[in-house]
Amino acid sequence: FGIDCSGLVQVSLTAAGTGCPRDSDMQCAGLGRELNASEAKHLRRGDLIFWKGHVAIVRDAETIVHANAHHMATVIENTREATARIRAAGSEIVSIKRL
């Protein structure tokens, strides 16, 4: 009846020819390399931002795409605004990865 955040990442990466675990915790543990603080200030298309139980795909320097319960849909959002909203709901970023 829809897709969740980790399913969106899995479908996207599989379509691009990259294998991907199903759940966001496994994706965080198994995909890409962790960005350092300096690199995290310069996000690139395809970077993955992880929160506890959530993941988003960086679309460009200013936006992300993710399936989320706030909108009950897959949406493109401003990264800063989405991050602030998620932080206000009690969840900090746990990792940013680059494939």
Side-chain angles (χ1 to χ4, degrees):
F1 297 94
I3 194 165
D4 67 359
C5 62
S6 57
L8 178 64
V9 170
Q10 185 183 44
V11 167
S12 299
L13 288 178
T14 299
T18 300
C20 178
R22 172 62 183 97
D23 295 322
S24 61
D25 60 336
M26 292 185 285
Q27 292 170 351
C28 186
L31 293 174
R33 67 170 180 82
E34 181 87 22
L35 297 185
N36 64 41
S38 176
E39 291 173 311
K41 292 177 184 175
H42 304 284
L43 297 175
R44 295 184 192 164
R45 183 179 188 91
D47 288 346
L48 300 173
I49 303 174
F50 292 92
W51 295 264
K52 184 177 181 185
H54 189 62
V55 60
I57 305 167
V58 173
R59 185 171 172 261
D60 56 37
E62 297 179 7
T63 61
I64 58 174
V65 60
H66 61 141
N68 67 81
H70 179 75
H71 295 96
M72 293 306 290
T74 299
V75 296
I76 295 169
E77 280 192 273
N78 177 276
T79 304
R80 285 190 206 115
E81 292 171 9
T83 300
R85 186 189 73 251
I86 294 167
R87 181 180 299 115
S91 188
E92 295 288 334
I93 293 172
V94 296
S95 182
I96 301 176
K97 299 285 197 91
R98 183 161 292 156
L99 301 177

